[in-house]
Amino acid sequence: MDLTTSFQVAVPADVFARYEYFETRNAAAILRATNPDAFDEVIDILRHFDLINDDLILAGGEESGLAKRLNYAFRNRGWREGRVDTEIKLILRRMPFADAGETSPRVEESSVTNEGYKVDNVKARVAMDLEWNAKDGNLDRDLAAYRALYDAGLIDGAILVTRTIDDLRELGYRIRVEAGMDEKAAKNVLSTSTTTNTKKLLPRLQRGDAGGCPVLAVAICERTWIGWQADEDDTPKDLL
């Protein structure tokens, strides 16, 4: 599947400059058109979010400080964790055979229930997940949930916030060394290759794992860092 680039127009320049973006099926344009209030809330939260040093040097545990800050911002605006469960009712009607003295159908019923995956945040017809430093298998779960929600007609699209890897690994290394950490220990920053990041997400988007659901991926990167200083060389080419 070819990726699209509607985010270059849909995302305001100041927010566009601080993250990296990828999308399928013109997700940014679709979400801005169909759910403008929810989309504007996402943009405003991203605008006021900063990556801080602790996000790169402290162990995350079950939910890192970064995840808590972002999820709290969404909860404050009415976004809530959601899950779609499906139940299929099967009815078999055996039609009567008059020569055997049967006068009415024989009905047999059964049902199949499937408990779906949770989504971090849902509002209006938009689903949103944050995958900062989790196992990369979470991406399969997220995309499967978006596909189910979209196929059920419950959402118009989804937003997945994750991170880049190479630039943040180098940034974390520099921060740890500057803080006086031994260089060998400082290299152990976001070093696991099986955690969520854009390198793990892109192949899943390109092979269409979310089905028909438009997905906008927003990647926290070095430019999101609170200490980042913009210069001409760092300006995204799309803004020049």
Side-chain angles (χ1 to χ4, degrees):
M1 174 186 295
D2 291 335
L3 300 180
T4 54
T5 57
S6 73
F7 53 82
Q8 294 178 1
V9 176
V11 177
D14 63 317
V15 180
F16 180 81
R18 300 183 65 238
Y19 301 85
E20 292 190 9
Y21 299 85
F22 307 92
E23 69 173 10
T24 62
R25 303 181 184 276
N26 293 299
I30 289 172
L31 291 174
R32 187 179 69 170
T34 58
N35 296 269
D37 291 341
F39 186 78
D40 286 347
E41 287 180 354
V42 173
I43 293 298
D44 194 52
I45 289 171
L46 293 175
R47 175 178 286 121
H48 292 95
F49 173 78
D50 288 312
L51 179 67
I52 62 176
N53 289 6
D54 282 355
D55 297 328
L56 295 169
I57 63 178
L58 298 180
E62 184 175 349
E63 185 180 29
S64 68
L66 182 150
K68 289 179 180 177
R69 298 199 312 277
L70 266 179
N71 282 325
Y72 185 80
F74 279 97
R75 298 287 192 275
N76 259 352
R77 292 173 178 263
W79 294 69
R80 296 292 183 266
E81 188 178 44
R83 187 183 75 194
V84 59
D85 299 329
T86 57
E87 182 174 356
I88 302 174
K89 185 177 182 180
L90 306 175
I91 302 175
L92 173 64
R93 289 185 172 87
R94 296 175 179 267
M95 296 299 107
F97 179 48
D99 289 353
E102 299 170 354
T103 59
S104 59
R106 180 180 175 183
V107 180
E108 299 177 10
E109 296 185 8
S110 63
S111 62
V112 177
T113 301
N114 180 51
E115 184 177 289
Y117 296 116
K118 288 183 178 179
V119 176
D120 289 342
N121 297 281
V122 180
K123 188 174 185 182
R125 293 177 57 83
V126 183
M128 177 270 168
D129 275 299
L130 169 64
E131 298 294 358
W132 165 247
N133 193 28
K135 293 296 183 182
D136 66 329
N138 282 17
L139 298 173
D140 299 317
R141 178 201 67 188
D142 295 337
L143 296 176
Y146 302 156
R147 186 172 193 156
L149 286 164
Y150 184 81
D151 289 347
L154 296 174
I155 62 171
D156 297 316
I159 299 171
L160 180 55
V161 179
T162 185
R163 61 181 172 87
T164 56
I165 183 64
D166 293 333
D167 61 332
L168 291 185
R169 181 182 289 148
E170 176 60 28
L171 174 61
Y173 171 76
R174 296 201 313 266
I175 290 172
R176 289 189 171 199
V177 169
E178 290 171 3
M181 182 177 291
D182 175 80
E183 288 193 20
K184 184 176 181 180
K187 289 183 179 179
N188 188 27
V189 179
L190 302 178
S191 58
T192 304
S193 61
T194 57
T195 54
T196 50
N197 59 71
T198 51
K199 287 186 177 180
K200 295 295 184 180
L201 176 59
L202 278 175
R204 291 168 163 88
L205 293 178
Q206 291 172 321
R207 69 183 179 226
D209 286 7
C213 181
V215 177
L216 172 64
V218 181
I220 296 167
C221 61
E222 184 176 9
R223 297 191 304 276
T224 320
W225 178 46
I226 194 169
W228 181 72
Q229 298 295 321
D231 58 44
E232 185 175 347
D233 292 337
D234 289 321
T235 304
K237 292 182 175 57
D238 300 280
L239 297 181
L240 297 177

